[in-house]
Amino acid sequence: MTNVQLNHGFHIHVTEQGAGVPVILLHGFCGSGGYFASIKESLSKHCRVILPDLRGHGKSAAPNGPYTIEEMADDIIQVADKLQLNQFVLLGHSLGGYIALSAAERYADRLLGFGLIHSNGYPDTDEGKAGRLQAIEKIQTEGMAAFINALVPTLFNPDRLDALKGEVQAAVQIGYHTPPQGAIGASLAMRERKDRRQVMEDTDVPLLLVAGRKDLKMPPEKLFTTSREGVSSHIIENAGHMSMQETPEELVGIIQSFVKERVEAV
């Protein structure tokens, strides 16, 4: 574990394990690198797993003010610089996927491959933008615990909530540690994000797309918007929005195959 000091004066908390091809995994909204606890050990047998806590999340700094997806992507590029990674694989879950797309748009030469895990390239709809403001209001008026208690269960396969009680509670506990200003800043970043579907279509960087059949937040049809050469697309049948916790072995196999077949083979 280490705190990586960035050029603008605050730090990003990073944990890493393993050796080989560097794979940076970016967690989703109100998460942390701890989201990947169930896959870190297994995946690190095949590659160097690097888990940053995003700006405003986990043990990273949480500056005030609205964030942008571009700023959050720049944070990760600076982390890679500080870790002396010339090139790496960048995989983003949900919010992390928006950040990965921003990096792919502007720093494609740094990427051996990139991927979206339960994410997509669309901007927020008008309804989605209104929902971000409602989330912010709930955080401000009721606090983070009430917000997280309402949010986290909706991220999991609704048919398996009883079987996944431990995983749901683990995600809840991670969410509780999100500073309110971090959750608000990230909400505003997502609200103002660009349409980046064309980035997936135009780039020649190997791309991984992973969807959950039971994902109430990001149904597969919203993710699979490109069929260009070099894209690996997967649907995990029993996963909702949290495959790293719901179906960890299946996700590890998908990531491992992508790195071996699409990245190492290049």
Side-chain angles (χ1 to χ4, degrees):
M1 297 184 185
T2 186
N3 286 333
V4 176
Q5 200 69 23
L6 304 187
N7 297 337
H8 39 50
F10 63 78
H11 72 274
I12 295 292
H13 182 78
V14 179
T15 62
E16 61 174 294
Q17 184 172 334
V21 175
V23 178
I24 300 177
L25 295 172
L26 306 180
H27 62 80
F29 178 57
C30 290
S32 75
Y35 263 16
F36 301 103
S38 296
I39 72 170
K40 180 175 69 172
E41 188 75 29
S42 180
L43 188 59
S44 66
K45 296 175 182 177
H46 308 284
C47 53
R48 180 181 174 188
V49 178
I50 300 165
L51 305 175
D53 291 349
L54 298 174
R55 174 194 297 221
H57 292 73
K59 296 180 180 178
S60 289
N64 290 316
Y67 308 159
T68 68
I69 295 299
E70 291 76 19
E71 288 172 339
M72 297 177 86
D74 290 345
D75 291 346
I76 301 307
I77 296 300
Q78 282 196 51
V79 167
D81 290 343
K82 300 287 185 178
L83 296 179
Q84 299 182 324
L85 304 178
N86 291 325
Q87 289 188 301
F88 50 91
V89 176
L90 183 63
L91 305 178
H93 165 244
S94 198
L95 164 61
Y98 308 147
I99 295 167
L101 271 173
S102 177
E105 181 178 48
R106 296 177 297 126
Y107 303 103
D109 61 320
R110 302 293 299 274
L111 302 183
L112 297 167
F114 74 105
L116 309 185
I117 301 171
H118 312 299
S119 190
N120 65 61
Y122 287 90
D124 259 0
T125 61
D126 289 342
E127 181 182 3
K129 289 183 176 183
R132 303 294 182 197
L133 297 182
Q134 291 168 3
I136 290 169
E137 182 179 8
K138 186 175 182 71
I139 291 167
Q140 291 173 329
T141 58
E142 300 180 34
M144 282 303 300
F147 177 72
I148 292 299
N149 289 340
L151 170 68
V152 168
T154 70
L155 303 180
F156 289 79
N157 179 348
D159 300 330
R160 298 184 64 215
L161 281 178
D162 285 343
L164 294 166
K165 283 181 179 177
E167 288 78 7
V168 172
Q169 190 56 36
V172 165
Q173 290 299 320
I174 288 172
Y176 285 166
H177 288 90
T178 306
Q181 71 270 25
I184 291 170
S187 293
L188 293 172
M190 291 188 288
R191 188 177 191 270
E192 300 303 326
R193 73 184 187 276
K194 293 168 51 178
D195 186 335
R196 288 194 166 93
R197 284 173 290 171
Q198 203 61 38
V199 175
M200 292 191 285
E201 189 68 34
D202 292 345
T203 183
D204 58 2
V205 178
L207 171 61
L208 174 66
L209 303 176
V210 180
R213 181 72 72 189
K214 301 292 186 174
D215 191 341
L216 303 179
K217 300 291 184 182
M218 301 278 182
E221 59 269 20
K222 289 196 70 175
L223 175 56
F224 300 137
T225 58
T226 179
S227 57
R228 68 166 175 84
E229 187 176 351
V231 177
S232 299
S233 300
H234 301 267
I235 297 177
I236 301 179
E237 294 296 332
N238 287 321
H241 196 64
M242 300 287 282
S243 61
M244 71 289 297
Q245 295 178 20
E246 298 174 271
T247 55
E249 293 181 4
E250 192 165 352
L251 182 61
V252 167
I254 289 170
I255 295 173
Q256 180 190 353
S257 295
F258 174 71
V259 171
K260 183 176 181 180
E261 297 170 10
R262 296 289 188 183
V263 176
E264 292 180 339
V266 173

